[in-house]
Amino acid sequence: MFPVVDFINIGKIVTTQGHRGEVRVMPLTDFPERFEQMDEVLIYHNGERKTYHIEKTWYHKSFVILKFREVQDMNAALALRGAFLQVTPDQLVDLPEDTYYVFEIIGLDVYTPEEGWLGKVTDVLATGANDVYVVEGEDGRPLLIPALKSVVKKVDLDKKRMVVELPPGLKD
């Protein structure tokens, strides 16, 4: 079954920043600059989702520092530790052509023109050079497919399928 996604995590609150209620956010997005354009964000914490209003955004090392109108002091900020910042699918940043979000790829059926169905994408590994799709078939053994244009020939999100041309020796 293809996952239906209502909310997408774009950051995680890891700790406080200073003593005025700011939070340190580890970005879970390729577009951390998006926080500068946002007036509000959904925060999912302890099974609840609430809207928070962003008053100020700045950066410290690899973190995004946010000040929310609803959070007045360090204790209130500390209570949000571990919370996820989320957006809805209509708030996603538009991607370039032939580029996909991880949640769009997971669950796709993978085929080759020669062998037919290989399995389903169960995970996407970020390796640095290129992503790697973890495909699990009937035998339960994961097949690691590099997310390269020379390998991934077609992605059809409407039909929930991907067509790949495996490099020699990849399945052996």
Side-chain angles (χ1 to χ4, degrees):
M1 181 80 175
F2 188 71
V4 175
V5 178
D6 293 324
F7 302 97
I8 299 98
N9 293 332
I10 60 168
K12 182 176 182 180
I13 297 174
V14 292
T15 192
T16 61
Q17 177 75 28
H19 61 278
R20 294 190 179 104
E22 298 94 348
V23 295
R24 187 180 296 193
V25 175
M26 177 179 57
L28 302 176
T29 173
D30 289 338
F31 309 100
E33 65 278 3
R34 73 178 302 143
F35 292 103
E36 294 173 46
Q37 284 82 47
M38 297 176 71
D39 295 322
E40 59 185 36
V41 68
L42 295 169
I43 294 188
Y44 183 73
H45 190 54
N46 293 332
E48 293 184 13
R49 189 172 286 108
K50 294 180 182 174
T51 300
Y52 282 72
H53 297 86
I54 299 172
E55 289 185 338
K56 189 174 179 186
T57 304
W58 72 99
Y59 305 93
H60 179 69
K61 299 183 180 174
S62 62
F63 297 98
V64 178
I65 311 302
L66 297 177
K67 172 66 176 99
F68 298 115
R69 180 172 64 209
E70 294 80 2
V71 180
Q72 297 302 316
D73 58 39
M74 188 170 72
N75 288 335
L78 195 57
L80 292 174
R81 188 168 42 191
F84 286 97
L85 283 65
Q86 298 181 326
V87 295
T88 56
D90 62 309
Q91 295 173 300
L92 290 173
V93 174
D94 290 332
L95 296 176
E97 190 176 334
D98 293 332
T99 307
Y100 305 93
Y101 284 102
V102 169
F103 74 87
E104 294 176 309
I105 295 295
I106 291 178
L108 293 182
D109 284 303
V110 181
Y111 297 85
T112 65
E114 303 81 24
E115 300 176 46
W117 188 76
L118 291 175
K120 282 192 179 292
V121 179
T122 58
D123 199 3
V124 177
L125 308 175
T127 65
N130 57 271
D131 287 348
V132 174
Y133 300 147
V134 179
V135 176
E136 290 189 22
E138 291 176 354
D139 64 2
R141 289 187 356 201
L143 178 63
L144 304 178
I145 299 177
L148 300 171
K149 288 184 188 291
S150 60
V151 176
V152 179
K153 298 302 181 182
K154 183 176 182 183
V155 173
D156 188 333
L157 296 179
D158 293 330
K159 293 183 179 175
K160 300 170 181 40
R161 63 184 283 148
M162 174 188 299
V163 177
V164 298
E165 192 174 298
L166 299 178
L170 186 67
K171 252 187 115 174
D172 301 336

